[in-house]
Amino acid sequence: MIQRNHPKRSIIALVLLLLAPIYLALPVSAAQYRCDNIPEVSLSAPNDNMLDYVCTAAARTFEFLGRYQMGPQRPIQVEIIEHQINSGGYKAFGSYDRQSERVRIMSLPAVLNSSQSPQMYKMPFDQEHYIGALAHELAHAVFHQNAVDVEEKWNNTAHEYIAHATQLGVLAAPKREQIILSEETGPWESGDEISVTYMAFNPTGFAVKSYLHLTQLSNPQPFIKLLLNHKWLYISVP
C-alpha cells in the first residue's frame, strides 16, 4: 500500500526541526541541593556532581575558621557555573558576591578544560585544589558575615588574608607542606604591611605567609578582631 505525504505532519516536522537548535541552546535549569549536617550551605547546579566537593569544602572551612571563632551567620548559596569569571580584569575560577552573598564557582571539569594545564599555587590543578578553591570563596562568605560593616574597598586585604589562609588550611597536609616548602618564605612579621598589591604579584607567597602567620599566633583573637574591623587598604602587622 502506497502512503501519501500528510501536509500538516510535514509542516509540524519542519517547525520542530527549526526549533531544535533553539531548545538545545537554552541553559539547563538548576536544581537545589543541600549538604547533610551542614544546613547553612545550599548548592544551585544542573546536577549533584559537585555536591560532595562543596560539602567537603564547607566542612573543612567551617572547622578551620571555627578555631578563630568565626562561623556562618546566614545561609550561603553556592552556584556552579561552566565559564571563567572576569574578576577585576583577570580570569578567575570562582568569586563571592557580597551583595547577594552568593558563591559562584566553575565545575571541576570546566576548570580542567579551561586551559591546557590549569594551575593553583604553581601546581597542577586537581580535585584537592578544587576543594581549596571552594574553601577560599566560602571563607570570603564567612568573613563577610562576621566583619563589621565597612565599605567593600577598605577590607579587601583582610578578606584575602583569611581566604588564602583558609585555602591552604583545608588542603591535605602533604600538599600544603609541598606548597609551603616550594615557596621558601616565612610568615608575615611585625612591621610588615599586608596588601593586595603583594598578592597580585605573588599569590602563592601571599597565601603561604598568611597561613603561617595566622596558624603560628599564640593568641590569634586580637588579630582576628583587627581584621574584622579593618578599614584601610593594607594591614600593618602588630
Side-chain angles (χ1 to χ4, degrees):
M1 181 170 133
I2 299 175
Q3 294 183 339
R4 296 182 180 178
N5 290 331
H6 197 293
K8 289 185 178 179
R9 291 178 183 171
S10 298
I11 292 172
I12 292 172
L14 179 61
V15 170
L16 290 175
L17 182 63
L18 292 172
L19 289 176
I22 298 175
Y23 287 116
L24 290 174
L26 290 174
V28 179
S29 60
Q32 297 294 317
Y33 305 94
R34 290 196 174 275
C35 302
D36 293 339
N37 303 320
I38 311 179
E40 301 90 349
V41 176
S42 63
L43 173 65
S44 175
N47 53 59
D48 65 351
N49 291 347
M50 297 296 107
L51 183 60
D52 285 346
Y53 292 108
V54 171
C55 298
T56 299
R60 293 187 192 180
T61 300
F62 297 164
E63 191 277 329
F64 181 82
L65 292 177
R67 303 174 199 171
Y68 306 101
Q69 299 178 25
M70 285 186 288
Q73 306 298 307
R74 297 182 293 279
I76 302 171
Q77 185 168 63
V78 178
E79 179 185 359
I80 299 297
I81 59 175
E82 300 298 327
H83 56 83
Q84 286 187 312
I85 298 167
N86 189 332
S87 178
Y90 65 92
K91 298 295 185 180
F93 297 145
S95 69
Y96 171 68
D97 187 293
R98 300 184 200 182
Q99 256 95 43
S100 65
E101 299 192 0
R102 175 184 293 238
V103 169
R104 300 176 72 225
I105 191 162
M106 298 169 68
S107 68
L108 177 58
V111 173
L112 296 177
N113 293 325
S114 62
S115 65
Q116 291 184 343
S117 54
Q119 292 190 339
M120 180 62 70
Y121 293 148
K122 302 176 185 177
M123 298 176 65
F125 199 96
D126 59 13
Q127 294 180 354
E128 188 69 13
H129 277 305
Y130 187 66
I131 291 172
L134 277 161
H136 182 109
E137 304 305 336
L138 289 167
H140 275 304
V142 173
F143 184 84
H144 177 229
Q145 292 182 1
N146 285 266
V148 174
D149 187 21
V150 296
E151 289 186 50
E152 179 176 325
K153 63 181 178 180
W154 299 125
N155 62 4
N156 280 342
T157 301
H159 257 276
E160 295 300 340
Y161 173 101
I162 287 295
H164 277 284
T166 303
Q167 184 170 352
L168 272 189
V170 304
L171 295 179
K175 187 177 290 291
R176 179 172 59 249
E177 290 305 310
Q178 185 179 354
I179 295 169
I180 292 172
L181 290 174
S182 67
E183 197 58 23
E184 297 183 345
T185 190
W188 299 109
E189 297 181 358
S190 179
D192 284 347
E193 290 185 354
I194 308 173
S195 71
V196 290
T197 303
Y198 183 100
M199 184 191 72
F201 283 103
N202 187 3
T204 306
F206 183 95
V208 170
K209 293 176 81 67
S210 299
Y211 171 79
L212 292 177
H213 177 258
L214 180 62
T215 57
Q216 292 177 12
L217 289 171
S218 58
N219 179 19
Q221 290 316 122
F223 189 73
I224 293 295
K225 184 177 180 181
L226 183 153
L227 295 177
L228 294 173
N229 290 270
H230 194 256
K231 297 179 176 66
W232 196 238
L233 295 174
Y234 60 88
I235 299 168
S236 294
V237 180

